[in-house]
Amino acid sequence: MWKDLGLNLEKHDVLLNALAKGYGDLFMTQKNRPAGMGYFDFVISEVHGLRIKELVDRKKAGKKIIGAFCLYVPEELVYAADATMVGLCGGADFSIPDAETVLPRNICPLVKSFFGFKVGATCPYFNSCDMVVGETTCDAKKKVYEVLADYTPTYVMEIPHKVDTEQSKALWLSEIKLFKQQMETLTGNVIEKDSLKEAIRLINEKKKAMKRVSDTRRASPTPISGLDALLVNQMSFYDDVNRFTLKTNELADELEKRNADGVGVGDPSKPRLMFSGCPMAIPNWKLHSIIESTGVPVVAEESCIGSRYFTDLVEPKGDSMDSLLEAIWDRYHNISCACFTPNDDRVTKVVDMAKEYNASGVVYNVLQYCHTYNIEAIKVDKALKKAGVPMLKVETDYGSEDVEQIRTRVEAFTEMLSPV
Ligand code: BJ8
């Protein structure tokens, strides 16, 4: 199977060994994990095995696989066309040397990492894709999609950067319609109202289950570690949607019971930290693992691998195709990415979330060279200060050189926080 996918087998083996070791060291050494995490341990152990086989089998049955890196790609339209969407790996240092054979060095590690997985032929998800769908969000991504098109079929959606104008709405809606056509052409399936309604239901159910898990983390002690919750969020982009929803709801049942019984993983006398900023594509577990190694739990993620993904649902107000597509726009234009301007909505959301999750402080993650999240940190910091919530900005990449330095900063930060 790996050969058919055109993978570099030698490098892929090195990657798998590194992943297994990293996962074992970080996740399996945690104490008192919820039993429901057993499923997610299994999924990660098979993320380059059974799950790829499922995708390959779908391809053999004539179905299409779509790869994406951004929440702005409307997955409802992918599923309505009977295709499958997968997130693409972009959270590992491992693939960056391959990327740097083509790309400049001084760009965000997430972009270099995903590009390197394609160039180095080490990501079976990438190599399973019939099409990669990109978007005009940050400069790094939109320019790299141009280069990526030389390696794999790539389609780019234009995402406006000012979201609250009539022109923006018109452009975005027309992009959603074009994407619908694109999916119909690629799959040969016409997207009917009923299939779109069913796809909206499917994705909404997935997000509701993720929100249930997230809501349980408001309790003290938190019933699940930030690392485990992060993994669930990361897996949501890879796993079969129905199975993931079922297992995530089972996990939520268990966490709700833990809360009722006062069972948790953290020490309730410690401060609670919220995470905000750039997304943590799999297998980027760096900041969560550093923070939690100091004994302080991470209780929420204001991130695309987190609340920005599951908070809002697509809620059609009518039954026509136009109403369904407008409902998609309505939900998607509310994802407050730092690529928007102005983006006060995100600032408000971060503050509200810190309060809802009783966070004693916020760790703000900036991936190196990510100007949008880096500069937006100024406004977020100011608003959090006003609300009485301290913020620590950490600018980092996927390397391990700065781990001890970050740990020292996190320890100093949490020492001055009081538990909420
Ligand atoms: S909706 S956050 S997934 S664009 S970290 S590549 S912004 S330089 S990932 Fe994102 Fe969509 Fe926005 Fe979410 Fe660029 Fe920054 Fe790198 Fe980033």
Side-chain angles (χ1 to χ4, degrees):
M1 182 171 77
W2 301 131
K3 268 198 184 144
D4 290 347
L5 285 174
L7 287 194
N8 179 325
L9 297 183
E10 224 170 278
K11 272 194 192 169
H12 186 240
D13 279 352
V14 178
L15 171 68
L16 283 192
N17 289 336
L19 259 182
K21 163 117 185 47
Y23 190 79
D25 290 350
L26 294 179
F27 285 83
M28 305 312 282
T29 52
Q30 297 179 97
K31 304 248 169 356
N32 195 21
R33 295 175 80 209
M37 284 310 296
Y39 171 72
F40 298 93
D41 291 336
F42 172 71
V43 174
I44 192 110
S45 71
E46 289 295 338
V47 78
H48 280 209
L50 281 179
R51 183 59 185 142
I52 297 296
K53 169 124 187 14
E54 286 178 346
L55 296 179
V56 168
D57 287 347
R58 277 189 68 78
K59 279 167 78 76
K60 282 187 188 150
K63 316 283 182 187
K64 302 294 181 192
I65 311 294
I66 308 298
F69 296 101
C70 179
L71 296 197
Y72 290 125
V73 179
E75 57 189 325
E76 291 83 357
L77 289 167
V78 173
Y79 286 94
D82 199 18
T84 300
M85 191 152 119
V86 287
L88 297 173
C89 310
D93 219 13
F94 176 84
S95 54
I96 288 182
D98 284 325
E100 288 178 349
T101 61
V102 180
L103 298 179
R105 292 192 68 204
N106 293 351
I107 54 174
C108 148
L110 194 155
V111 171
K112 281 196 288 187
S113 178
F114 85 64
F115 187 80
F117 275 118
K118 183 63 196 173
V119 176
T122 42
C123 174
Y125 290 91
F126 227 138
N127 282 21
S128 304
C129 286
D130 296 286
M131 175 180 278
V132 169
V133 182
E135 23 34 69
T136 55
T137 47
C138 68
D139 287 350
K141 283 211 282 185
K142 79 181 172 218
K143 296 309 286 181
V144 166
Y145 292 133
E146 291 175 23
V147 185
L148 186 67
D150 289 341
Y151 297 82
T152 194
T154 305
Y155 176 83
V156 176
M157 288 183 74
E158 181 167 0
I159 303 298
H161 288 181
K162 284 176 81 170
V163 281
D164 287 329
T165 63
E166 278 306 310
Q167 302 92 301
S168 154
K169 179 177 176 183
L171 171 61
W172 203 323
L173 263 174
S174 69
E175 284 292 312
I176 290 171
K177 287 177 186 165
L178 281 173
F179 183 59
K180 172 175 172 286
Q181 280 171 19
Q182 186 70 30
M183 286 300 98
E184 290 176 332
T185 308
L186 181 75
T187 60
N189 298 325
V190 175
I191 298 178
E192 305 285 1
K193 269 190 324 179
D194 284 349
S195 55
L196 184 50
K197 278 197 264 182
E198 173 51 23
I200 290 172
R201 188 204 60 77
L202 180 81
I203 303 302
N204 280 353
E205 288 306 310
K206 168 162 86 154
K207 290 178 178 172
K208 280 190 222 165
M210 294 169 75
K211 177 84 166 52
R212 277 188 68 202
V213 168
S214 177
D215 283 347
T216 65
R217 299 167 73 197
R218 295 173 193 221
S220 179
T222 175
I224 181 169
S225 69
L227 255 181
D228 278 339
L230 173 64
L231 181 73
V232 173
N233 289 335
Q234 289 174 330
M235 285 294 104
S236 71
F237 297 99
Y238 294 88
D239 200 5
D240 171 79
V241 179
N242 278 318
R243 188 174 55 211
F244 175 86
T245 304
L246 177 77
K247 293 295 176 183
T248 304
N249 271 321
E250 284 176 12
L251 177 65
D253 291 341
E254 183 186 355
L255 299 182
E256 284 163 9
K257 168 126 190 10
R258 280 187 156 210
N259 282 349
D261 297 343
V263 176
V265 292
D267 176 350
S269 69
K270 296 267 188 185
R272 301 154 57 86
L273 291 182
M274 181 178 121
F275 184 100
S276 171
C278 293
M280 302 73 72
I282 201 160
N284 179 8
W285 303 306
K286 183 173 173 178
L287 266 186
H288 275 61
S289 62
I290 295 174
I291 294 168
E292 295 199 326
S293 74
T294 70
V296 173
V298 177
V299 295
E301 292 80 24
E302 185 279 324
S303 164
C304 288
I305 316 279
S307 66
R308 273 183 243 138
Y309 178 60
F310 56 70
T311 299
D312 296 314
L313 305 178
V314 175
E315 293 175 308
K317 294 188 179 62
D319 197 42
S320 64
M321 180 56 82
D322 279 350
S323 310
L324 299 178
L325 296 178
E326 180 152 358
I328 290 177
W329 164 79
D330 196 28
R331 183 265 179 274
Y332 280 80
H333 93 289
N334 267 320
I335 302 167
S336 355
C337 170
C339 297
F340 286 168
T341 184
N343 198 28
D344 296 338
D345 186 46
R346 171 164 177 253
V347 178
T348 310
K349 282 177 182 162
V350 175
V351 174
D352 289 349
M353 216 174 139
K355 288 183 191 154
E356 285 162 19
Y357 284 81
N358 288 320
S360 333
V362 170
V363 174
Y364 191 100
N365 175 38
V366 177
L367 286 176
Q368 236 174 35
Y369 307 112
C370 177
H371 305 314
T372 55
Y373 280 91
N374 202 356
I375 296 171
E376 198 155 279
I378 299 168
K379 285 198 158 199
V380 174
D381 188 29
K382 204 166 157 192
L384 282 170
K385 254 197 199 105
K386 204 165 156 205
V389 183
M391 181 183 112
L392 173 73
K393 185 173 94 171
V394 177
E395 197 175 342
T396 186
D397 58 12
Y398 296 160
S400 53
E401 298 78 16
D402 57 355
V403 166
E404 288 315 317
Q405 186 204 30
I406 296 173
R407 201 186 324 271
T408 307
R409 288 185 64 209
V410 169
E411 278 167 346
F413 179 64
T414 50
E415 262 170 36
M416 62 156 203
L417 300 174
S418 34
V420 178

